[in-house]
Amino acid sequence: MLTGKHLIAGDWTPNDQTFASSPAHGLSHDFSVGTPAHVAAACEAAEAAFPIYAAKTRAERATFLNRIADEIEARGAEITEIGTQETGLPAARLEGERGRTTMQLRLFASHILQDDWLDRRHDAALPDRQPAPRPDLKLIQRPIGPVAVFGASNFPLAFSTAGGDTASALAAGCPVVVKGHSAHPGTGEIVAQAIDAAIKATGMPAGTFSLIQGGKRDVGEALVQHPLIKAVGFTGSLAGGRALFNLCAARPEPIPFFGELGSVNPMFLLPAALANRGEAIAKGWAGSLTLGAGQFCTNPGIAVVIDGSEADTFVTAAKAAVGAVGPQTMLTDGIAEAYRHGRDRVAAGNGVRPVLSTTSDRRNATPYLFEVSGSDWLNDHALAEEVFGPLGLIVRVRHAAEMQDIARSLQGQLTCTLHLDDADLDLAKALMPILERKAGRVLANGFPTGVEVVDAQVHGGPYPASTNFGATSVGTMSIRRWLRPVAYQNMPDALLPQDWA
């Protein structure tokens, strides 16, 4: 049952002012509006919980994470029901995302029972060293303190209340304050109920987790500027993320802002692959481009091809495959409106020609395809900006050298993809040093939608794909965002952290 309240340190806290959810279908519900006062209470509770929670053994934190997963699974039907209503996503997508969410929690529970993430290092004392003795030095990673997490609009489970940011921060030993996304407040509350139940069942301090719903811009600003918050995890728009990043940097004590802000995820179709498999690649691209109404940060929005008859075949096949996709419900009215603005911006670009035109209205999205020459694309930087939805732009270049120019001109990306056959290896070798500087993940002969949650994953990239190119928001390495190295010099064993043993 929904309460419509905030969860602050174990208490379901109301507010006289409420907002109504805007579901794609089904009933609307009222939720309390968050305020800076709610933020302050949650942050103070998180700070009070930090020394207690951080001192819990890794086994105790692992038990807690697994219990959260159990509690989410016990509420699976309820989550799917309200999640489909709020977002318009199909039940199968929500169920799959719920499985990914619980898998992430269990993955981190397993990960912290290992030792490598602690990065323990020891330089033993050399008392007889000349001209001066060397002290004993031990290094280990320690949790940084309370973490703020912003829920994402496009992943109501895997990147929201108990998503990857929350799971990795809790695994590291950091309490979490979540700013829930107003697109799916009911889904967020039910997941928060699961976390609250896990806190009570495992004896964790109440301030280990809080959820604040709704609120205007001042709530998000108050959260990132609160002096007790030591780092921020964010998945969302470039404009919103950059504004919060600037606030974090302007604090009297600047803190890291780990923002994942999206990208256009270009694909480069090399000549032999285009000639041999152009139609198959076009069909695969259509499936990836329109998956989930294109509402993925790894949506491959740009395909770069060398102009010619093979490019014509690719465009024709892509038009047929994309054109077979019907209207899909977008996550919010605002996202649908932004998609139409993005479509109009691309359509108005210099030299842009329509390949497939449809009609999108209200909260529905239909796919679009456009094409443009490489030279016109290079001269219009707006064409390299993300359109959040099922819109593809085919860039026709004159030759391999211009394809490399396209690659060099790119801003930071989450992904870049090469479609290549054996005969394309020389060109691929020329592109690789460029692309690996542009993206956190470089693919061969695949499509970037679908991000494996594993040890070797990188979901991040140079700005503006993310605000910290050395981090990832997916995979076990994401725990590093919430840790800092501490060296202990000549420290008695009794005073070392228990994880040193």
Side-chain angles (χ1 to χ4, degrees):
M1 297 293 293
L2 293 176
T3 70
K5 301 175 182 178
H6 313 289
L7 174 63
I8 299 178
D11 294 326
W12 291 96
T13 305
N15 185 18
D16 291 338
Q17 186 180 0
T18 62
F19 71 96
S21 62
S22 299
H25 57 84
L27 296 175
S28 176
H29 301 276
D30 290 334
F31 295 88
S32 294
V33 173
T35 67
H38 291 124
V39 169
C43 293
E44 289 163 8
E47 176 63 22
F50 175 59
I52 304 169
Y53 182 63
K56 296 289 185 180
T57 67
R58 287 181 278 160
E60 288 173 322
R61 294 206 301 272
T63 298
F64 173 47
L65 293 169
N66 282 321
R67 184 58 182 261
I68 296 173
D70 292 342
E71 296 287 350
I72 289 173
E73 289 170 349
R75 294 162 174 79
E78 190 178 359
I79 290 170
T80 298
E81 180 180 9
I82 195 164
T84 55
Q85 291 174 1
E86 290 184 323
T87 66
L89 295 171
R93 157 69 193 274
L94 264 294
E95 290 164 0
E97 190 180 331
R98 188 179 73 246
R100 171 176 168 168
T101 303
T102 56
M103 181 272 288
Q104 288 177 150
L105 289 158
R106 299 191 192 284
L107 175 66
F108 279 106
S110 174
H111 183 62
I112 60 175
L113 295 177
Q114 303 169 27
D115 292 336
D116 55 343
W117 66 280
L118 294 168
D119 195 22
R120 289 183 292 213
R121 305 180 185 205
H122 182 203
D123 291 293
L126 298 175
D128 298 325
R129 190 185 68 173
Q130 296 297 327
R134 185 177 77 184
D136 182 89
L137 284 166
K138 297 182 176 71
L139 178 150
I140 191 171
Q141 299 288 338
R142 300 294 292 149
I144 59 174
V147 167
V149 170
F150 285 74
S153 63
N154 59 333
F155 280 88
L157 297 171
F159 278 86
S160 290
T161 310
D165 287 346
T166 297
S168 56
L170 292 175
C174 298
V176 173
V177 179
V178 171
K179 169 66 172 68
H181 201 288
S182 297
H184 41 75
T187 308
E189 183 187 321
I190 296 171
V191 174
Q193 291 176 10
I195 299 174
D196 186 42
I199 287 173
K200 291 178 169 61
T202 57
M204 295 299 166
T208 300
F209 176 85
S210 293
L211 170 69
I212 299 169
Q213 300 273 34
K216 297 181 180 179
R217 183 178 298 177
D218 61 338
V219 175
E221 292 176 352
L223 184 55
V224 302
Q225 291 181 303
H226 197 283
L228 296 177
I229 292 297
K230 299 304 178 185
V232 179
F234 174 90
T235 299
S237 69
L238 174 59
R242 183 54 194 258
L244 293 173
F245 171 84
N246 291 343
L247 289 174
C248 288
R251 286 174 35 146
E253 178 202 2
I255 59 173
F257 179 86
F258 298 101
E260 191 270 280
L261 310 179
S263 71
V264 295
N265 305 295
M267 305 189 312
F268 294 82
L269 282 67
L270 306 195
L274 183 65
N276 297 332
R277 301 183 286 112
E279 291 188 37
I281 296 171
K283 292 177 181 177
W285 182 41
S288 182
L289 183 70
T290 62
L291 181 68
Q295 297 170 118
F296 290 89
C297 48
T298 53
N299 185 33
I302 292 179
V304 183
V305 299
I306 295 178
D307 204 5
S309 58
E310 290 88 358
D312 294 339
T313 300
F314 172 79
V315 172
T316 300
K319 179 180 180 180
V322 172
V325 178
Q328 299 179 74
T329 303
M330 301 202 85
L331 292 159
T332 69
D333 293 327
I335 290 174
E337 183 179 2
Y339 174 57
R340 292 190 290 271
H341 284 311
R343 170 204 62 192
D344 295 343
R345 170 174 53 79
V346 171
N350 184 44
V352 173
R353 303 174 297 277
V355 173
L356 174 68
S357 296
T358 56
T359 301
S360 292
D361 61 359
R362 299 182 181 179
R363 199 160 160 175
N364 294 320
T366 51
Y368 294 85
L369 280 182
F370 298 92
E371 64 179 6
V372 68
S373 70
S375 59
D376 283 335
W377 192 88
L378 288 167
N379 289 321
D380 189 346
H381 296 297
L383 295 178
E385 296 176 7
E386 180 185 30
V387 177
F388 196 62
L391 182 147
L393 178 61
I394 300 161
V395 182
R396 291 178 176 253
V397 298
R398 293 168 295 172
H399 38 60
E402 190 170 52
M403 182 175 280
Q404 294 175 62
D405 290 339
I406 296 288
R408 292 188 188 95
S409 74
L410 292 169
Q411 293 184 300
Q413 305 291 324
L414 294 172
T415 73
C416 290
T417 299
L418 291 171
H419 290 279
L420 72 155
D421 285 354
D422 288 345
D424 295 314
L425 284 175
D426 287 343
L427 177 54
K429 288 178 180 178
L431 284 165
M432 278 297 292
I434 305 171
L435 298 184
E436 68 182 8
R437 296 183 64 188
K438 299 292 183 178
R441 178 163 56 113
V442 184
L443 296 79
N445 296 327
F447 300 95
T449 44
V451 182
E452 292 293 333
V453 186
V454 291
D455 292 334
Q457 186 59 269
V458 173
H459 190 60
Y463 184 84
S466 62
T467 55
N468 191 313
F469 64 84
T472 176
S473 62
V474 176
T476 55
M477 198 175 76
S478 64
I479 197 174
R480 294 185 182 180
R481 297 173 296 170
W482 324 120
L483 300 167
R484 66 182 184 89
V486 178
Y488 300 88
Q489 183 167 323
N490 293 332
M491 192 64 60
D493 288 348
L495 297 180
L496 291 170
Q498 62 178 331
D499 286 335
W500 180 261

